[in-house]
């Protein structure tokens, strides 16, 4: 028995080492591409490109799902030539990842004005016809993509948007220059380096022990309720941001916090969603909604939330006159599901 356990443990350690080595190798390879323009340009030769037009990704419908087609460098060069564009436009692409076999993945927007080429933006209808797809707003397609494509496209859109908005130095006013991978921009006149950034946002599911608090903003789709969320202020810790947001939006004081998970979220601009569970002090559960922030907020029972999770379809819920929750891909959905299932979490200091 002890011999069997020893072999099993060694095998487990071996496969864990293999997995870790693959991740480290990918990470080191991507680091090299970000730091070395020549290496990145070489990687484009065998890489794959995801195409966008004015920040909308090129997608193809497959049943009830969307798929994101990929294009080789040669295919992309032929496409640009057909539409009278020079291949220098490819330098506007950004690195968004790679496979375990080190096939590099890039994203290129054909609708934004090029910073490396004199050519104007390509026309959307002609491109869609040629590419046999449609440039679809990511907000509409996100929840009909598989997890891999959703992750890559949200990252790509965030990077493309950041580069489009940071083409000039805030100090000198001179044009900035992007490196080949798109991991930074540099001002040639003063050497200031600009890196893509995300804004930290706390998203908090508040509970009184038996109920959870859900709220909605006027901008939400009809009938949808979610957890409380807000940007972190400069100088705040995560814990301070959670307490302030809960106090500002619903007039409650948080007693305990539990960290749950985090997620990049591209809308409306790139944010890092930091999800937490929070409980309020006993006897202090009267909600005072801040109407400048929220349209409505209320306490919901475990049964009500569990039912909403099981029937989480906007059409079904509106027909029944009940509320619905954010889709599965959103971290708010996972936060609410955790509360229903009562999992163990890492506790933050109170």
């Amino acid at each position: 028995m002890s011999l069997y356990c020893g072999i099993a443990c060694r095998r487990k350690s071996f496969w864990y080492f293999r997995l870790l080595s693959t991740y480290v190798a990918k990470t080191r390879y991507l680091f090299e591409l970000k730091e070395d323009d020549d290496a990145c340009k070489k990687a484009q030769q065998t890489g794959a490109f995801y195409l966008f037009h004015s920040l909308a990704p090129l997608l193809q419908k497959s049943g009830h799902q969307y798929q994101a087609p990929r294009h080789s460098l040669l295919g992309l060069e032929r496409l640009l030539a057909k539409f009278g564009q020079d291949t220098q436009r490819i330098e506007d692409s950004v690195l968004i990842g790679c496979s375990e076999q080190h096939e590099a993945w890039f994203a290129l927007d054909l609708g934004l004005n090029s910073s490396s080429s004199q050519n104007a933006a390509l026309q959307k209808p002609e491109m869609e016809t040629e590419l046999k797809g449609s440039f679809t707003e990511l907000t509409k397609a996100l929840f009909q993509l598989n997890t891999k494509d959703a992750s890559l496209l949200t990252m790509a859109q965030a990077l493309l948007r950041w580069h489009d908005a940071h083409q000039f130095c805030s100090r000198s006013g001179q044009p900035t220059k992007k490196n080949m991978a798109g991991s930074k921009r540099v001002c040639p006149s003063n050497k200031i380096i600009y890196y893509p950034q995300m804004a930290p946002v706390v998203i908090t599911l508040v509970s009184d022990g038996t109920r959870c608090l859900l709220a909605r903003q006027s901008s939400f789709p009809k009938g949808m309720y979610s957890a409380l969320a807000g940007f972190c202020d400069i100088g705040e810790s995560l814990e301070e941001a959670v307490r302030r947001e809960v106090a500002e939006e619903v007039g409650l004081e948080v007693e305990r916090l539990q960290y749950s998970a985090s997620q990049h979220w591209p809308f409306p601009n790139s944010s890092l969603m930091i999800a937490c569970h929070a409980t309020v002090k006993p006897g202090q559960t009267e909600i005072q909604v801040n109407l400048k922030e929220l349209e409505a907020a209320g306490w919901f029972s475990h049964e009500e939330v569990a039912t909403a999770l099981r029937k989480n379809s906007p059409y079904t819920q509106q027909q029944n006159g009940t509320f619905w929750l954010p889709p599965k891909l959103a971290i708010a959905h996972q936060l609410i599901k955790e509360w229903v299932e009562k999992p163990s979490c890492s506790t933050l200091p109170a």
Side-chain angles (χ1 to χ4, degrees), residues 94-165:
V94 293
L95 176 69
I96 57 174
C98 73
S99 69
E100 292 185 358
Q101 292 72 39
H102 293 186
E103 177 194 56
W105 301 325
F106 300 87
L108 175 64
D109 198 305
L110 301 172
L112 299 176
N113 289 325
S114 174
S115 60
S116 60
S117 169
Q118 296 301 313
N119 295 127
L122 291 169
Q123 294 302 305
K124 183 177 174 181
E126 290 84 348
M127 296 295 296
E128 290 178 327
T129 301
E130 178 67 24
L131 295 167
K132 296 180 174 60
S134 61
F135 291 104
T136 307
E137 293 297 328
L138 198 52
T139 50
K140 297 177 181 177
L142 183 61
F143 301 114
Q144 292 174 274
L145 290 164
N146 63 47
T147 303
K148 175 189 170 183
D149 283 348
S151 177
L152 284 174
L153 294 181
T154 54
M155 177 184 180
Q157 188 195 67
L159 270 173
L160 292 168
R161 180 192 290 114
W162 183 84
H163 281 285
D164 186 52

Side-chain angles (χ1 to χ4, degrees), residues 20-225:
L20 184 62
S21 295
T22 301
Y23 173 76
V24 170
K26 280 178 59 177
T27 303
R28 291 288 179 88
Y29 178 62
L30 289 172
F31 177 80
E32 178 188 2
L33 300 189
K34 291 175 183 178
E35 295 298 312
D36 187 331
D37 282 356
D38 290 334
C40 189
K41 193 157 190 173
K42 183 179 179 181
Q44 289 181 347
Q45 304 295 320
T46 56
F49 291 79
Y50 293 84
L51 301 182
F52 285 70
H53 192 285
S54 301
L55 300 178
L58 176 72
L59 300 175
Q60 294 172 339
K61 194 77 170 178
S62 177
H64 296 293
Q65 294 289 309
Y66 281 107
Q67 293 181 341
R70 305 191 307 168
H71 302 266
S72 67
L73 178 65
L74 180 59
L76 184 54
E77 288 174 340
R78 288 173 176 169
L79 177 73
L80 292 173
K82 184 171 184 176
F83 285 89
Q85 302 276 317
D86 62 56
T87 57
Q88 191 176 5
R89 191 184 190 99
I90 297 172
E91 293 183 10
D92 291 330
S93 64
V94 293
L95 176 69
I96 57 174
C98 73
S99 69
E100 292 185 358
Q101 292 72 39
H102 293 186
E103 177 194 56
W105 301 325
F106 300 87
L108 175 64
D109 198 305
L110 301 172
L112 299 176
N113 289 325
S114 174
S115 60
S116 60
S117 169
Q118 296 301 313
N119 295 127
L122 291 169
Q123 294 302 305
K124 183 177 174 181
E126 290 84 348
M127 296 295 296
E128 290 178 327
T129 301
E130 178 67 24
L131 295 167
K132 296 180 174 60
S134 61
F135 291 104
T136 307
E137 293 297 328
L138 198 52
T139 50
K140 297 177 181 177
L142 183 61
F143 301 114
Q144 292 174 274
L145 290 164
N146 63 47
T147 303
K148 175 189 170 183
D149 283 348
S151 177
L152 284 174
L153 294 181
T154 54
M155 177 184 180
Q157 188 195 67
L159 270 173
L160 292 168
R161 180 192 290 114
W162 183 84
H163 281 285
D164 186 52
H166 291 79
Q167 295 187 36
F168 296 90
C169 176
S170 61
R171 182 68 61 86
S172 69
Q174 297 298 309
T176 54
K177 182 174 176 57
K178 144 189 179 309
N179 69 334
M180 188 61 65
S183 59
K184 61 186 175 183
R185 297 189 76 92
V186 180
C187 176
S189 66
N190 54 30
K191 306 305 179 186
I192 292 178
I193 302 175
Y194 295 90
Y195 295 98
Q197 297 179 343
M198 295 188 292
V201 173
V202 290
I203 179 165
T204 309
L205 188 66
V206 178
S207 171
D208 67 354
T210 59
R211 303 174 297 173
C212 74
L213 191 154
L214 300 174
R216 59 172 281 105
Q217 298 176 1
S218 58
S219 60
F220 282 10
K222 184 179 179 181
M224 192 187 85
Y225 278 72

Side-chain angles (χ1 to χ4, degrees), residues 278-291:
T279 57
V280 294
K281 292 189 174 181
Q284 297 184 9
T285 58
E286 182 179 348
I287 298 172
Q288 298 175 354
V289 178
N290 183 343
L291 295 177

